[in-house]
């Protein structure tokens, strides 16, 4: 009984299908559902393409883009090393897009649909091959300049794995997914061969000898004073790689190859070429397949009926193994180029090349081992996302302080925000951030500040509402104070509050205040205050995992590492009204409007605003007075303009307005209302009944009926910039009209 191609080439399919199964296991949430200690999938955590983009950014700018860490970089560098030493094993065994395109090939064959072959070396083939290099240049250029992984905008794997909900550009993702599905169905490995930017990197690395020579040339030019911008150098490298691919296409500096025993090959069946996912004409390659497209997938070896093909190492060098059409044969017609990893080596293999009994599953083994090595090595060190210093003078004796567990430092953007904040701190001269471990390292002048003061500067006081108390049932709450360590980030208090929520106790909120150890005030029901002792708080604070149910089922686990120090003896009391206002995060926006320059009241208001700015900034010149714009209008604050006139509040109350998802919509509502005459401001506040309320302040010509109409429009007009005004779907809906009362 004839074995199937899958059975004969089982190492490839075993690895490919195992990778796909693991991706599905994590992406679908099955891993989180079955194992409580597994975090939700990060689809880019082990991406070698992202790692190489990050490495390029690090070389050019000294920083890492997005949330990239050493893990992705090591994955990318190990992939590069494997390509140089062996072949494009990632493409042949690990890449999920490549595996999916192989599945498409098998589906097409099962349906007996003829493929559309693009003959290697044809004009169409040469033109199409430039696409992946152009795409790679664009991706790397955009990534380095923006410090954001641009490949996520169009990566078909990322789009599908995130359910088209990641950081994608929808039309780009749809195009690339369409290319994989449609063109990949009719043309073998179309994406991999012509579009994939990682394929462009891999093909470039196959010509690594030429690339090294190019680096040496640029180094010599730099010594001679000729320096090119990085993007020009990168473009020239890619151009050279493309030209080498279409005019040479046979890199030689590689260890493993498909070896052709010409004495066994009848050069008539071409089964190898038919099974090759890249349509490589294996018999015409000579004794050794050196085609730039070869990924050592083993399909040709498994398909050969004469057992003329094997995967091996040429021990006699390129001269013996690189000939064309069966050159170099030994006595008795034996090929001196045969090297065998499995199969039947015969005498020819024994006299030609030898691999010491290794089996043809070696490429699959190398691919898996490389991933494991990269995974282990990537967790051993961490590169800083940013590493910057400022105002460092010669002779300064600077020190460093390391602050851990800053969960808000999680990407390039948050790192730069942290740096901007630290630049305003006296005595700080540098910052490094490590987003993988949420760690920062500050460079400071001990003559101006200290490590303790810097920890206080980094700390952001915060509060978190665990449950909402009912003011009708509780007139006051008890305040229990505990001391903790390792809670420098504002998110840490949220995690502690969520831990308290899981207990079901009458704990309504927590609030932090800087000290060493940290002060954490716990607001509890008077009925339960006596039952909450030091042992209870120690057990909750020092839990190592926060386990919270997630929507749709399952549990999300977040590792935490807080330390409990002590519980203070004194217990305080706070009125329920004071507590609710203390825990409440208000929103406030007040607007200016345009008025004719002939309006004396508007001119007086504008002059008042100008004088206020001058009081804060002496460089502001008030002598010229208020100047109208080109249309004869002046800008005046409406709150000033309507002083002394009847003003009103339109209020809509709802307890749910404190929810973050609803609070995020308030700036859009405010923006939508700001352009309408008579609307003075929009607020989120606690009303007289201590209920969260949206309050819209207005004066004539605006009316309560008009406000109700405006906020219920199905589309809102949002002004992002003077020349960028958009009409977008309403972000909030309102079931019942609010109440209107005079503004006091």
């Amino acid at each position: 009984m004839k074995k199937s191609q899958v059975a004969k080439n089982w190492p490839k399919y075993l690895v490919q299908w195992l990778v796909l199964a693991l991706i599905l296991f994590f992406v679908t949430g099955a891993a989180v559902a079955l194992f409580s200690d597994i975090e939700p999938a990060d689809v880019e955590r082990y991406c070698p393409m992202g790692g190489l983009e990050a490495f390029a950014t690090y070389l050019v700018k000294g920083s890492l883009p997005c949330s990239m860490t050493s893990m992705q970089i090591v994955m990318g560098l190990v992939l590069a090393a494997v390509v140089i030493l062996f072949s494009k094993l990632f493409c042949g065994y690990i890449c999920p897009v490549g595996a999916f395109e192989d599945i498409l090939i098998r589906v097409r064959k099962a349906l007996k649909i003829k493929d559309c072959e693009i003959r290697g070396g044809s004009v169409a083939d040469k033109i199409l091959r430039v696409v992946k290099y152009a795409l790679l240049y664009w991706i790397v250029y955009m990534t380095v300049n923006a410090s954001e992984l641009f490949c996520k905008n169009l990566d078909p794997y990322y789009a599908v794995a995130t359910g088209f909900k990641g950081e994608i550009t929808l039309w780009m993702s749809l195009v690339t997914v369409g290319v994989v599905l449609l063109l990949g169905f009719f043309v073998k490995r179309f994406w991999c061969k012509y579009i994939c930017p990682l394929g462009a990197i891999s093909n470039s690395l196959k010509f690594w000898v030429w690339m090294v020579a190019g680096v040496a040339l640029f180094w010599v030019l730099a010594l001679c004073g000729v320096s090119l911008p990085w993007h020009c150098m990168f473009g020239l490298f890619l151009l050279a790689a493309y030209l080498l691919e279409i005019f040479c296409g046979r890199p030689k500096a590689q260890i493993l190859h498909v070896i052709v025993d010409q004495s066994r090959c009848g050069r008539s069946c071409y089964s190898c070429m038919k099974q090759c996912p890249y349509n490589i004409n294996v018999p015409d390659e000579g004794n050794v397949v050196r085609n730039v497209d070869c990924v050592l997938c083993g399909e040709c070896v498994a398909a050969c009926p004469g057992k003329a093909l094997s995967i091996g190492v040429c021990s006699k060098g390129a001269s013996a193994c690189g000939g064309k059409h069966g050159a170099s044969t030994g006595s008795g017609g034996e090929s001196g180029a045969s090297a065998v990893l499995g199969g039947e080596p015969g005498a020819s293999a024994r006299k030609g090349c030898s691999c010491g009994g290794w089996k043809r599953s070696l490429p699959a083994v190398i691919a898996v081992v490389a991933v494991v090595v990269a995974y282990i090595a990537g967790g051993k060190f961490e590169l800083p996302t940013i590493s910057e210093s400022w105002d460092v003078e010669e002779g300064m004796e600077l020190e460093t302080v390391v602050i851990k567990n800053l969960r808000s430092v999680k990407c390039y953007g948050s790192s730069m925000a942290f740096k901007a904040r630290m630049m305003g701190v006296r005595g700080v001269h540098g910052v490094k951030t490590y987003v993988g471990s949420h760690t920062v390292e500050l460079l400071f002048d001990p003559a101006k500040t200290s490590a303790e003061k810097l920890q206080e500067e980094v700390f952001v006081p915060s509060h978190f509402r665990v449950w909402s108390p009912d003011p009708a049932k509780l007139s006051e709450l008890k305040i229990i104070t505990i001391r903790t360590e390792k809670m420098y980030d504002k998110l840490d208090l949220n995690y502690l509050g969520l831990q308290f929520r899981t207990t079901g106790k009458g704990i309504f909120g927590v609030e932090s205040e800087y000290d060493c150890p940290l002060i954490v005030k716990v607001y509890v029901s008077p009925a339960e205050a006596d039952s909450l002792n030091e042992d209870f708080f120690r057990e909750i604070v020092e839990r190592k995992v926060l386990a919270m149910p997630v929507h749709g089922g399952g549990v999300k686990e977040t590792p935490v590492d807080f330390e409990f120090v002590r519980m203070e003896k004194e217990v305080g009391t706070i009125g329920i009204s004071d507590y609710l206002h203390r825990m409440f995060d208000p929103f406030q926006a007040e607007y200016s409007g345009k008025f004719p320059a002939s309006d004396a009241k508007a001119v007086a208001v504008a002059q008042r605003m100008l004088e206020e700015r001058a009081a804060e900034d002496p460089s502001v010149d008030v002598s010229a007075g208020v100047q109208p714009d080109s249309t004869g209008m002046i800008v005046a604050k409406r709150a000033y303009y309507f002083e002394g006139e009847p003003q009103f509040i339109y209020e809509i109350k709802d307890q749910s307005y404190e929810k973050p998802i609803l609070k995020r919509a308030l700036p859009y509502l405010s923006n939508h209302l700001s352009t309408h005459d008579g609307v003075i401001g929009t607020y989120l506040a606690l009303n007289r009944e201590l209920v969260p309320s949206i309050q819209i302040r207005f004066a004539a010509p605006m009316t309560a009926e008009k406000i109700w109409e405006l906020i219920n429009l199905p589309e809102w007009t949002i002004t992002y910039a003077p020349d960028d005004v958009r009409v977008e779907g309403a972000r909030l809906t309102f079931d019942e009209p609010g109440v209107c009362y005079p503004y006091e």
Side-chain angles (χ1 to χ4, degrees):
M1 180 176 173
K2 186 177 179 181
K3 281 187 177 181
S4 69
Q5 185 73 8
V6 173
K8 288 188 286 187
N9 196 23
W10 64 265
K12 171 198 170 183
Y13 291 99
L14 176 63
V15 175
Q16 275 191 335
W17 295 349
L18 181 60
V19 170
L20 288 177
L22 285 173
I23 290 173
L24 288 173
F25 182 62
F26 284 97
V27 168
T28 60
V32 176
L34 292 175
F35 303 99
S36 58
D37 58 340
I38 292 181
E39 295 183 36
D42 179 356
V43 298
E44 61 181 6
R45 186 171 183 176
Y46 307 108
C47 174
M49 179 66 199
L52 291 173
E53 288 177 75
F55 187 62
T57 307
Y58 188 78
L59 292 178
V60 174
K61 298 175 66 175
S63 63
L64 297 179
C66 203
S67 56
M68 291 290 100
T69 65
S70 302
M71 180 62 72
Q72 292 95 337
I73 292 177
V74 173
M75 285 287 177
L77 294 178
V78 169
L79 175 143
V82 170
V83 171
I84 290 171
L85 294 174
F86 304 105
S87 187
K88 301 189 294 183
L89 301 185
F90 177 84
C91 304
Y93 294 87
I94 306 297
C95 178
V97 180
F100 186 74
E101 288 217 317
D102 284 350
I103 292 173
L104 289 177
I105 294 172
R106 301 194 69 80
V107 171
R108 178 181 49 75
K109 287 182 178 180
L111 296 175
K112 297 183 179 179
I113 298 175
K114 185 175 176 59
D115 68 326
C116 298
E117 181 182 349
I118 300 176
R119 186 171 55 84
S122 65
V123 174
D125 177 71
K126 291 178 179 178
I127 292 174
L128 285 170
R129 285 179 184 271
V130 79
V131 175
K132 62 179 178 285
Y133 289 101
L135 191 60
L136 175 61
Y137 180 85
W138 183 36
I139 286 173
V140 173
Y141 181 83
M142 296 295 289
T143 298
V144 172
N145 284 344
S147 287
E148 291 289 337
L149 286 186
F150 189 76
C151 67
K152 291 193 290 188
N153 289 276
L154 46 80
D155 181 1
Y157 161 71
Y158 180 79
V160 173
T162 59
F164 289 88
K165 296 178 182 178
E167 300 169 44
I168 66 172
T169 300
L170 184 59
W171 72 267
M172 291 184 186
S173 297
L174 290 175
V175 168
T176 54
V177 171
V179 168
V180 172
L181 288 173
L182 298 178
L183 294 179
F185 183 80
F186 291 103
V187 181
K188 291 180 179 180
R189 287 260 187 159
F190 184 89
W191 170 268
C192 307
K193 192 173 183 179
Y194 297 119
I195 310 297
C196 179
L198 189 57
I201 294 174
S202 298
N203 284 11
S204 302
L205 292 171
K206 278 204 167 189
F207 297 102
W208 66 271
V209 174
W210 290 95
M211 298 297 106
V212 170
V215 170
L217 175 61
F218 282 118
W219 180 70
V220 171
L221 290 175
L223 291 178
C224 297
V226 180
S227 180
L228 293 176
W230 75 267
H231 53 87
C232 292
M233 293 175 58
F234 184 59
L236 290 173
F237 272 115
L238 294 184
L239 176 61
Y242 168 67
L243 294 175
L244 285 168
E245 180 173 327
I246 64 171
F247 290 116
C248 175
R250 291 175 59 81
K252 297 182 179 181
Q254 184 177 303
I255 295 175
L256 287 180
H257 301 279
V258 172
I259 308 297
V260 184
D261 187 342
Q262 296 290 348
S263 66
R264 292 174 177 264
C265 180
R267 299 180 58 79
S268 59
C269 69
Y270 286 92
S271 296
C272 50
M273 182 177 176
K274 294 173 184 176
Q275 288 295 331
C276 176
Y278 290 91
N279 274 336
I280 298 173
N281 191 335
V282 177
D284 281 2
E285 286 286 313
N287 294 328
V288 179
V289 177
R290 300 189 186 276
N291 194 289
V292 71
D293 291 328
C294 181
V295 296
L296 288 183
C297 65
E299 289 291 282
C300 58
V301 178
C304 181
K307 298 183 179 180
L309 304 178
S310 56
I311 294 175
V313 180
C314 179
S315 61
K316 291 190 176 181
S319 60
C321 296
K324 274 276 197 180
H325 304 311
S328 181
T329 55
S331 60
E334 296 169 343
S335 170
S338 295
V340 177
L341 296 181
E344 298 177 6
S348 57
R350 290 192 298 272
K351 290 190 176 182
C353 305
S354 122
C355 300
W358 291 94
K359 299 183 178 177
R360 68 176 179 219
S361 59
L362 183 59
V365 173
I366 293 174
V368 172
V369 169
V371 171
V372 173
V373 169
Y375 176 81
I376 295 173
K380 296 295 184 182
F381 70 100
E382 188 173 10
L383 291 175
T385 298
I386 64 170
S387 178
E388 301 192 23
S389 59
W390 54 88
D391 301 334
V392 177
E393 300 176 0
E394 188 175 352
M396 277 187 170
E397 295 184 3
L398 302 178
E399 297 180 4
T400 60
V401 58
V402 176
I403 304 175
K404 299 182 178 181
N405 297 326
L406 293 181
R407 299 176 191 273
S408 57
V409 178
K410 55 188 177 181
C411 62
Y412 175 81
S414 57
S415 295
M416 292 303 291
F418 181 82
K419 173 209 165 187
R421 183 177 155 208
M422 290 298 102
M423 288 185 73
V425 177
R426 182 175 180 269
V428 177
H429 293 278
V431 60
K432 291 182 181 179
T433 65
Y434 300 86
V435 303
S437 58
H438 306 297
T439 300
V440 299
E441 183 178 306
L442 298 175
L443 184 68
F444 69 96
D445 185 350
K448 297 179 180 179
T449 188
S450 65
E452 292 75 18
K453 288 182 179 179
L454 290 179
Q455 288 179 336
E456 183 174 2
E457 288 285 352
V458 169
F459 175 77
V460 178
S462 59
H463 59 259
F464 180 80
R465 182 175 292 190
V466 180
W467 301 111
S468 295
D470 186 350
K473 296 180 180 179
L474 290 170
S475 60
E476 64 180 24
L477 298 177
K478 295 295 184 180
I479 307 173
I480 297 176
T481 303
I482 62 174
R483 297 297 191 111
T484 64
E485 291 283 12
K486 297 185 178 181
M487 291 181 60
Y488 295 109
D489 194 87
K490 61 182 180 181
L491 292 177
D492 290 337
L493 193 73
N494 294 20
Y495 291 143
L496 181 58
L498 290 171
Q499 294 282 39
F500 284 132
R501 183 178 293 176
T502 63
T503 67
K505 298 286 187 179
I507 298 175
F508 293 105
V510 288
E511 186 177 27
S512 63
E513 180 182 325
Y514 184 79
D515 200 353
C516 290
L518 183 71
I519 297 172
V520 177
K521 295 180 179 179
V522 186
Y523 298 93
V524 304
S525 167
E528 293 206 48
D530 293 339
S531 65
L532 304 181
N533 56 29
E534 191 167 89
D535 291 337
F536 167 81
F537 285 111
R538 183 185 303 278
E539 191 272 326
I540 300 301
V541 170
E542 296 192 346
R543 286 180 180 176
K544 297 304 180 184
V545 175
L546 167 63
M548 292 297 297
V550 295
H551 180 70
V555 175
K556 177 182 179 181
E557 294 198 345
T558 303
V560 289
D561 188 27
F562 309 144
E563 288 184 5
F564 177 82
V565 179
R566 67 178 181 271
M567 172 180 166
E568 304 289 3
K569 295 181 180 180
E570 296 79 12
V571 176
T573 303
I574 186 171
I576 196 67
S577 177
D578 290 340
Y579 166 76
L580 290 175
H581 280 92
R582 195 177 187 92
M583 289 287 118
F584 190 76
D585 292 319
F587 172 84
Q588 175 177 317
E590 294 185 345
Y591 318 122
S592 295
K594 285 190 174 184
F595 300 87
S598 58
D599 187 332
K601 185 176 182 180
V603 172
V605 169
Q607 183 66 32
R608 175 181 171 183
M609 295 167 59
L610 183 64
E611 291 170 356
E612 287 178 350
R613 289 200 303 271
E616 296 176 358
D617 184 0
S619 65
V620 175
D621 183 12
V622 298
S623 60
V626 178
Q627 300 297 318
D629 62 18
S630 59
T631 62
M633 306 293 283
I634 59 175
V635 176
K637 191 173 181 179
R638 290 176 184 164
Y640 292 167
Y641 185 85
F642 289 106
E643 278 183 351
E645 298 187 18
Q647 298 181 32
F648 303 89
I649 293 291
Y650 188 85
E651 177 183 285
I652 305 175
K653 63 180 181 179
D654 192 321
Q655 195 71 47
S656 63
Y657 287 155
E658 280 196 290
K659 294 180 179 179
I661 191 171
L662 296 180
K663 291 175 70 173
R664 285 195 290 269
L666 287 177
Y668 294 92
L669 174 64
S670 171
N671 188 300
H672 169 61
L673 294 172
S674 66
T675 58
H676 296 274
D677 291 340
V679 180
I680 299 171
T682 301
Y683 315 88
L684 179 67
L686 291 178
N687 69 1
R688 297 162 184 166
E689 302 166 358
L690 301 177
V691 178
S693 305
I694 293 175
Q695 299 175 355
I696 302 167
R697 179 180 167 193
F698 68 97
M702 184 56 63
T703 65
E705 292 76 16
K706 180 64 174 177
I707 286 177
W708 176 246
E709 179 184 336
L710 288 172
I711 65 178
N712 279 286
L713 289 174
E715 293 181 324
W716 293 348
T717 301
I718 309 298
T719 303
Y720 289 92
D723 58 347
D724 185 9
V725 180
R726 310 176 196 175
V727 177
E728 302 179 347
R731 304 295 181 100
L732 289 172
T733 58
F734 304 91
D735 298 327
E736 296 182 3
V739 297
C740 184
Y741 53 84
Y743 170 75
E744 299 176 358

